[in-house]
Amino acid sequence: MSKERPLQELSENLEGSLCRPQRGKWKRRSSCSGGLDTENTPNELIQQWSPPHKKILTSAKGKENEENTFVLARRPRKRRESAAGLCWDSLPDELLLGILSRLSLQDLLRTSRVCKRWHCLAFDESLWHSVDLVGKAQLDAELGQVLSAGVLRLRCPHTCIGQPSFKSAQKLRVQHLDLSNCTVETSVLEDILSRCKHLQNLSLEGLVLSDSIIHSLAENTEIVRLNLCGCSGFSPESLAEMLKSCTRIEEMNVSWCDFSNLHVQAIAANIPSSVSHLNISGYRQNLTMEDVKAVVKRCPNLTNLDLSDSVLVTTDSFPVLQQLSSLRHLAVSRCYQIHPASLIDFEKFLNLQTLEVFGLIQDSYLPILCKGLPHIQINTQPFSTVARPTSASRKDRTLWGMHCRLVYKH
């Protein structure tokens, strides 16, 4: 099977994936090629390809014609311009790129099949800085081509990923990548992430990872938001190494991972001080009060903290959490060691704005608690938004608040 086959299938089946004209099918098209003296044709070839000139014919009859000779010759044809006055081939690349930048994903792919020049322009990296492939059920070789085209933002959660088939070992330019809940082999994920060195926002929610993947993430020292919710397959040692390298993380979601108490301790001991939003919920017996104290000590600027579903967190954590002067959002849902009557103590948290205590109080007691804590909104966010690329409460197709220019429509 030829190398172009995956691209041909993509253009035929999708018009929303990447495509390439078939081998030997390139054809130069120009609406202004009717003239002999084209813009890019040397004069020697024009003369060579021109019809032979008529021989000079003179009349030999009669003395009156001896001094009056006449010539039969082809009159040179005038250059014919297109009806609009210009042809597409005469437009500079910069102007064509400006036109192509206004096209949708499907139209851009159709345009890439016009001619070889337009194919090269259609896959210029300036046109592929942001792509949203949500709704594309299967991504194979086309994923490798999208990433290789220089995409900076890529959104393709809940997708079945096959073999991207990268043509070279080049590093990828992608900075914002959402692969949440994709169906993908760990080896394929290792190949993709080993090529990433400039990641700033990354979501791998629900995926099976490996130590190799975590080591690759450690090389992306510019990561700001990292969502590993529900991940598994890596050791506490690799996790600690990654946290030591990625010192710019501001939002981190490591909730409900397949962690032991050693993983939780690795987070508490190595979490960067730059973290301001942390979701470390779902660890029941593995998150201890000592771990909470360590996190508070290492991250004094926390504004959003989720400790939900940790049964070892008690009311003794309140004085510790009160040290976080910037804390605005706190979640302790289903931390059953916290007595409902003690929730009134949150009146001492003067800067606290929202409090999630799902499962701790009955609905009948909620109005009483709200009256006792008038400056705090209680139980308004059942789902955490920490480091997640798209909030569950929003219906748009943003990627950490950023829109993608090229959107797949099925």
Side-chain angles (χ1 to χ4, degrees):
M1 182 178 295
S2 64
K3 296 181 179 179
E4 288 78 7
R5 185 59 183 171
L7 303 182
Q8 179 184 354
E9 293 177 350
L10 175 61
S11 63
E12 294 175 352
N13 298 334
L14 260 189
E15 295 185 0
S17 322
L18 301 177
C19 57
R20 178 180 303 168
Q22 301 178 13
R23 182 177 300 173
K25 296 293 186 179
W26 292 120
K27 192 173 183 180
R28 183 177 181 86
R29 300 182 182 178
S30 173
S31 60
C32 62
S33 59
L36 294 176
D37 51 337
T38 57
E39 178 182 355
N40 299 319
T41 307
N43 292 331
E44 293 80 358
L45 293 181
I46 294 176
Q47 297 175 4
Q48 180 180 349
W49 293 342
S50 299
H53 293 289
K54 293 287 186 179
K55 293 183 179 180
I56 298 177
L57 302 179
T58 59
S59 176
K61 295 182 180 180
K63 294 182 178 180
E64 65 276 8
N65 294 326
E66 290 180 357
E67 297 179 358
N68 300 320
T69 61
F70 64 91
V71 177
L72 294 179
R74 181 186 296 273
R75 177 179 297 175
R77 290 180 290 180
K78 294 182 179 180
R79 178 176 180 147
R80 296 196 298 267
E81 298 290 346
S82 63
L86 287 175
C87 63
W88 285 99
D89 278 353
S90 66
L91 297 181
D93 289 351
E94 293 77 9
L95 183 54
L96 284 175
L97 285 173
I99 296 173
L100 295 178
S101 66
R102 303 298 193 273
L103 300 181
S104 65
L105 177 59
Q106 282 80 358
D107 291 338
L108 183 61
L109 294 171
R110 295 188 188 104
T111 302
S112 70
R113 297 197 292 268
V114 171
C115 64
K116 189 172 183 179
R117 182 192 178 201
W118 284 28
H119 177 81
C120 294
L121 292 175
F123 287 102
D124 187 87
E125 63 182 24
S126 65
L127 303 178
W128 293 87
H129 56 81
S130 56
V131 182
D132 184 345
L133 297 178
V134 172
K136 179 69 175 72
Q138 179 76 29
L139 286 173
D140 295 304
E142 58 268 26
L143 176 60
Q145 192 177 4
V146 169
L147 291 170
S148 299
V151 64
L152 298 179
R153 300 196 294 266
L154 177 60
R155 181 172 182 252
C156 55
H158 307 283
T159 301
C160 183
I161 298 177
Q163 293 292 334
S165 300
F166 295 101
K167 295 182 179 180
S168 65
Q170 67 176 0
K171 302 304 179 182
L172 303 177
R173 299 177 64 238
V174 62
Q175 298 176 358
H176 316 281
L177 180 61
D178 180 11
L179 299 177
S180 303
N181 298 296
C182 286
T183 301
V184 56
E185 294 290 337
T186 303
S187 58
V188 173
L189 199 58
E190 290 175 349
D191 185 26
I192 295 175
L193 294 177
S194 66
R195 302 168 184 270
C196 300
K197 304 298 179 184
H198 307 288
L199 289 172
Q200 297 179 15
N201 297 309
L202 176 64
S203 178
L204 301 176
E205 182 167 342
L207 302 185
V208 178
L209 309 181
S210 66
D211 284 344
S212 176
I213 291 175
I214 300 301
H215 291 323
S216 296
L217 297 185
E219 298 179 8
N220 292 266
T221 57
E222 300 176 1
I223 288 184
V224 176
R225 299 181 183 90
L226 179 62
N227 180 20
L228 299 179
C229 173
C231 291
S232 61
F234 53 95
S235 66
E237 292 77 16
S238 61
L239 177 61
E241 178 188 348
M242 185 267 291
L243 293 176
K244 291 177 182 178
S245 299
C246 301
T247 58
R248 298 184 181 181
I249 297 180
E250 297 178 5
E251 296 187 26
M252 186 169 70
N253 190 334
V254 286
S255 61
W256 294 99
C257 294
D258 185 18
F259 281 177
S260 66
N261 61 327
L262 296 179
H263 287 86
V264 177
Q265 292 173 10
I267 295 174
N270 298 282
I271 185 172
S273 60
S274 58
V275 173
S276 60
H277 294 63
L278 175 63
N279 186 344
I280 192 172
S281 62
Y283 293 111
R284 303 187 181 278
Q285 304 286 341
N286 290 326
L287 180 67
T288 66
M289 283 297 301
E290 294 302 319
D291 297 326
V292 174
K293 293 178 181 178
V295 168
V296 170
K297 183 177 180 179
R298 290 189 61 87
C299 303
N301 298 318
L302 278 172
T303 61
N304 190 325
L305 179 61
D306 192 338
L307 301 174
S308 300
D309 299 282
S310 300
V311 296
L312 298 183
V313 175
T314 66
T315 53
D316 293 338
S317 64
F318 291 3
V320 177
L321 298 175
Q322 201 169 353
Q323 300 175 20
L324 300 172
S325 58
S326 300
L327 189 63
R328 300 289 186 273
H329 311 282
L330 176 64
V332 289
S333 299
R334 295 170 296 279
C335 293
Y336 296 115
Q337 294 297 326
I338 298 178
H339 195 276
S342 64
L343 296 178
I344 197 65
D345 292 342
F346 281 108
E347 64 181 357
K348 300 176 183 178
F349 292 68
L350 301 180
N351 294 323
L352 193 64
Q353 297 176 356
T354 61
L355 176 65
E356 314 304 330
V357 289
F358 291 99
L360 295 186
I361 59 173
Q362 298 179 357
D363 293 341
S364 59
Y365 181 68
L366 184 59
I368 300 175
L369 182 62
C370 291
K371 186 176 181 179
L373 302 173
H375 67 289
I376 300 177
Q377 296 182 2
I378 302 176
N379 288 357
T380 58
Q381 298 180 1
F383 303 104
S384 173
T385 61
V386 175
R388 284 197 164 110
T390 305
S391 173
S393 61
R394 298 183 62 173
K395 301 302 181 182
D396 57 19
R397 302 180 65 157
T398 57
L399 186 68
W400 289 286
M402 300 173 287
H403 290 274
C404 293
R405 194 187 72 82
L406 297 177
V407 179
Y408 170 73
K409 297 179 181 179
H410 55 89

